[in-house]
Amino acid sequence: MQTGENDQAMRKILDMTRLISIVLLLLHFYVVCYGAFVDWHLVSGISDRLLGNIVKTGLLSSFLQPKLMALAFLVIALTGVRGKKDEKQTVRVALLYLVVGVFFFLASYFLLLVPAKDTVVALLYMGTTGLGFLLILSGGTMLSRIIRDRLQGDIFNRDQETFPQEERLLENEFSVNLPAKYILKRRERPSWINFINLFRALLVLGSPGSGKSYFVIRHVITQHIRKGFAMFVYDFKMPDLAVIAYNTWLTYKHRYKVVPAFFSINFDDLARSNRCNPLDPSGMLDLTDAVESARTILLGLNREWIRRQGDFFVESPINFLTAIIWYLRRYKDGEFCTLPHVIELMQVDYDSLFTVLSTQKEIDVLINPFISAYKRDAVEQLEGQIASAKITMARIASPQLYYVLSGNEFTLDINNPDAPKIVCMGNNPQKIQIYGAVLSLFTNRLLKIINQKNKLKCSLVFDEFPTLTTDIIPTIATGRSNLIATTLGIQDASQLRKDYGREQADVIMNIVGNMAVGQVSGDTAKFVSEKIGRIMQDRESLSINSNDTSVSRSKQLEAAVPASRISALSSGEFVGMVADNPDCKIELKAFHCEIVNDHAALKKEIDGYVPLPEVRKISPAIVERNYLQIRQDIRDMIELEMERLLSDPALVHLVIKKS
């Protein structure tokens, strides 16, 4: 502990050391310039005898020895100097003083060789040496007054916001491993992002251009196919990810125990699209399946209904569509249970429609309110209940959609061990609302079918997930035990809240175990920063007043990656967290690094990709014929049912005719 007595004693010691240095220099001047002192009459017998005794000690035995000793004592004196701190002082100026001072102090020897009077040479020598001594003294004092703030050159605090990250490659049969590099204490170090447990879901966040697909999602696809996963890929910009999945499947399909089949759904290119019925009767086991399907398709076509669930004019169309779907599921064991047939059946006149629906007792509770309103001539109420469903469903009544949705070339049980599949479904940014609703129906049916025990490990990849209205929460929460790995690509949490509502969006954001975040801003950046946590950082504070300047240092817990840093990430730079396993603990879960892609190798690989194959030759006539056939199927079904009811006295009472 420092006290006033200690400081005073230290100052006395430093003053004495400085005085010894000056005395040694004066003795050196007296010996070297003795002739000049004689001319100036500054010598005496006493001084000569004292000088003789000093010479006998060997202190003045050589020319340089006393000068160097004087310089050494001066350096010792300067070492303990504590000058008043000055933020204007710089190292460059102090070093300039020191270098020039040492030069004058040592080079003054050559002035003794000047052919001139002894007094002139002595004055030049002593003046130059003294000037050098004073410059050294001033330079050393300046050094002690410099404020050594090591953070002055790091105005963005980048050095303090670095932390150790996982540098081991931790790989297992389910993992996705991304090579990366990060900065630790101004040094670049290699690292690995080890997603060893993607069954706890992976959330990939980032604004457009941040590198979600190129740096993360494409590697999830390629590495999981390489490790034998069944896969579903939702490709927002078809066929970007589908081509990657297809070519990876071509390369590694021999590694599967049972070679998976590859299927794709593309509403814009029917020649390269397979046909699939999302309302496949084999997957519609009870009425709740019809309810979920109806809710999914209507909420997908009317996004604002998501936040109004429970309202009368939202639930009524859902019940009406449910009744239509379940009736077709029960009619001839689902012969016409397809979405196109559902749409066409909804357009039938009320007399025939309600008559046909009333023959199915399981949906009585659903259709009775509509039939009652119809019989009471409550036309406005009935139209309010039904018209919104009919108008909404009419948006997807196109021959192209009818063609894809009315076939049944594959089922959605992609993780069936006996018949695994890799399925890619594509959207179109120009037709998001229409295609998104249909694809939401596909994904909801798929999620329910695959989330079962004793199935093959499978990977679900959703690019631009908010463009779907899929209830992914049960799959994330319960699919882990069924080996379902889920990857969600999202631009921003606000996008998710806009389409799903705040509560559901918050649940999705909080239950995922793995997170990789590119450039995001606002509340999303704050959320990610808080999730990554805090680290201990050094802090310096300066206090400058008229008497003294003090520098205090401390350690504080601060955000490892502040929100401002996340909002300024470059493309390919990601922050986030990984989840571990009980048998493979990861202490360093957080990361802030740049993912390393071999761009040349990837470009070569992409250039070698083959396009998706043509499934069939297709013509507009075939598509139109299918469209007309579906409409004819419904007309025939209505005619047959009405004829059956009218010809049977026991059933004729079911025929509804508005009085």
Side-chain angles (χ1 to χ4, degrees), residues 258 413-420 454-456:
V258 178
D413 56 340
I414 62 173
N415 58 347
N416 183 348
D418 299 324
N454 303 318
K455 298 292 184 178
L456 183 68

Side-chain angles (χ1 to χ4, degrees), residues 349-599:
D349 65 272
Y350 289 154
D351 283 341
S352 301
L353 178 60
F354 290 147
T355 297
V356 169
L357 292 180
S358 63
T359 62
Q360 179 53 251
K361 298 304 179 183
E362 291 183 61
I363 58 175
D364 272 348
V365 68
L366 297 175
I367 63 170
N368 271 337
F370 303 103
I371 295 175
S372 298
Y374 182 63
K375 289 180 176 180
R376 295 195 317 267
D377 286 333
V379 178
E380 292 184 3
Q381 175 186 334
L382 187 64
E383 288 299 332
Q385 292 175 289
I386 296 179
S388 55
K390 293 173 66 174
I391 294 171
T392 297
M393 295 297 289
R395 298 180 198 169
I396 57 178
S398 71
Q400 291 78 13
L401 287 173
Y402 275 24
Y403 182 77
V404 174
L405 300 175
S406 60
N408 203 18
E409 296 176 357
F410 68 95
T411 55
L412 296 175
D413 56 340
I414 62 173
N415 58 347
N416 183 348
D418 299 324
K421 304 174 186 68
I422 294 176
V423 177
C424 297
M425 294 189 179
N427 207 330
N428 184 330
Q430 280 73 45
K431 303 175 182 178
I432 296 175
Q433 191 170 13
I434 304 303
Y435 289 178
V438 177
L439 293 172
S440 297
L441 179 58
F442 272 111
T443 54
N444 268 319
R445 297 301 307 142
L446 179 141
L447 293 178
K448 185 165 186 180
I449 292 171
I450 66 173
N451 198 4
Q452 300 177 22
K453 298 288 185 182
N454 303 318
K455 298 292 184 178
L456 183 68
K457 58 187 178 183
C458 69
S459 180
L460 310 177
V461 178
F462 297 92
D463 184 26
E464 302 297 343
F465 174 73
T467 58
L468 297 173
T469 54
T470 300
D471 187 8
I472 197 68
I473 295 174
T475 303
I476 297 175
T478 64
R480 181 173 57 87
S481 59
N482 296 327
L483 301 183
I484 300 175
T486 306
T487 302
L488 307 179
I490 299 172
Q491 291 186 7
D492 192 86
S494 59
Q495 180 192 29
L496 195 62
R497 287 194 291 269
K498 170 181 171 291
D499 293 317
Y500 280 81
R502 178 173 292 275
E503 291 183 359
Q504 195 167 359
D506 288 345
V507 172
I508 294 174
M509 293 287 291
N510 285 300
I511 66 173
V512 293
N514 302 277
M515 180 178 288
V517 183
Q519 182 188 31
V520 293
S521 57
D523 292 339
T524 308
K526 294 178 183 177
F527 169 82
V528 174
S529 177
E530 292 175 0
K531 190 159 187 174
I532 292 174
R534 298 169 176 260
I535 57 174
M536 194 69 74
Q537 297 183 18
D538 294 329
R539 286 288 177 262
E540 291 188 359
S541 62
L542 308 178
S543 177
I544 302 174
N545 54 47
S546 58
N547 297 322
D548 194 10
T549 300
S550 63
V551 180
S552 62
R553 293 184 174 89
S554 63
K555 289 184 178 293
Q556 296 179 9
L557 274 174
E558 300 288 349
V561 189
S564 58
R565 180 81 65 242
I566 296 173
S567 63
L569 294 176
S570 302
S571 179
E573 193 175 358
F574 286 83
V575 302
M577 298 281 289
V578 300
D580 57 9
N581 288 326
D583 59 345
C584 182
K585 298 288 187 181
I586 299 178
E587 183 178 355
L588 303 175
K589 294 183 175 67
F591 61 86
H592 174 196
C593 58
E594 181 181 350
I595 296 176
V596 178
N597 268 358
D598 189 342
H599 302 294

Side-chain angles (χ1 to χ4, degrees), residues 279 284 287-302 305 314-326 339 342 346 366 389 392-393 437 441 444-445 469:
L279 301 180
M284 303 283 290
L287 189 60
T288 58
D289 293 325
V291 174
E292 290 178 1
S293 299
R295 186 176 298 275
T296 299
I297 193 70
L298 288 177
L299 295 185
L301 291 168
N302 297 279
W305 286 10
V314 172
E315 297 300 325
S316 292
I318 293 174
N319 286 348
F320 177 69
L321 183 56
T322 300
I324 299 287
I325 293 173
W326 191 246
L339 191 58
V342 168
M346 292 175 68
L366 297 175
T392 297
M393 295 297 289
L441 179 58
N444 268 319
R445 297 301 307 142
T469 54

Side-chain angles (χ1 to χ4, degrees), residues 327 331-332 336 345 348-349 351-353 355-356 631-647 655:
Y327 174 80
Y331 181 77
K332 292 187 178 181
F336 300 130
L345 182 56
V348 174
D349 65 272
D351 283 341
S352 301
L353 178 60
T355 297
V356 169
R631 304 189 71 176
Q632 187 61 45
D633 290 341
I634 294 300
R635 284 195 294 267
D636 293 344
M637 183 190 73
I638 293 295
E639 290 177 4
L640 289 173
E641 282 297 291
M642 292 298 293
E643 183 179 344
R644 181 177 69 87
L645 294 174
L646 291 171
S647 62
V655 178

Side-chain angles (χ1 to χ4, degrees), residues 43 91 116 146 238 242 250 301 606:
V43 298
V91 175
I146 294 173
M238 189 78 171
L250 289 177
L301 291 168
I606 293 171

